[in-house]
Amino acid sequence: GTCQPGVPVPPPAEIAGLLVDGHAGTTLTWGVLAGAVVYDVASSTLSGLRATGTAGAICLANDVATSGFIDVRPDPAPGDGFYYLVRAQGSCGSGTYGLDSAGAPRAPTAACP
């Protein structure tokens, strides 16, 4: 639907089925969501995840127009890795980066605008 004052339109649903190909130039893909226009990708290292949870994630790509993204960052330090959070944006708002194990919304400190 269209965004009109007083007419609630739910934001896109949580992204499901994120696939990560760990070869050089890590490729992420996900299923297209109904109502989604663009997608945001946030990321950090697994060591950062252990230290601060998903709050340490930063915006890696804003307003990706397709259901995929290639991360061209250099590999993390030996023994570490990257994790990724993806959310959809529709014409009336943004979805979430998902819920943590306690059921609270994941909230990166430097999320995409």
Side-chain angles (χ1 to χ4, degrees):
T2 59
C3 304
Q4 299 175 11
V7 179
V9 176
E14 180 179 332
I15 297 288
L18 175 64
L19 299 175
V20 179
D21 172 357
H23 294 90
T26 303
T27 301
L28 289 82
T29 56
W30 53 86
V32 174
L33 291 177
V37 176
V38 293
Y39 301 87
D40 294 333
V41 180
S43 179
S44 188
T45 60
L46 294 175
S47 59
L49 178 64
R50 288 188 290 274
T52 63
T54 57
I58 61 168
C59 183
L60 188 59
N62 186 45
D63 295 345
V64 176
T66 63
S67 61
F69 174 76
I70 298 175
D71 181 358
V72 296
R73 293 179 293 176
D75 289 341
D80 207 351
F82 292 125
Y83 72 90
Y84 299 92
L85 304 171
V86 179
R87 73 174 177 185
Q89 292 185 68
S91 58
C92 297
S94 297
T96 71
Y97 287 105
L99 303 176
D100 65 17
S101 59
R106 293 183 180 118
T109 301
C112 299

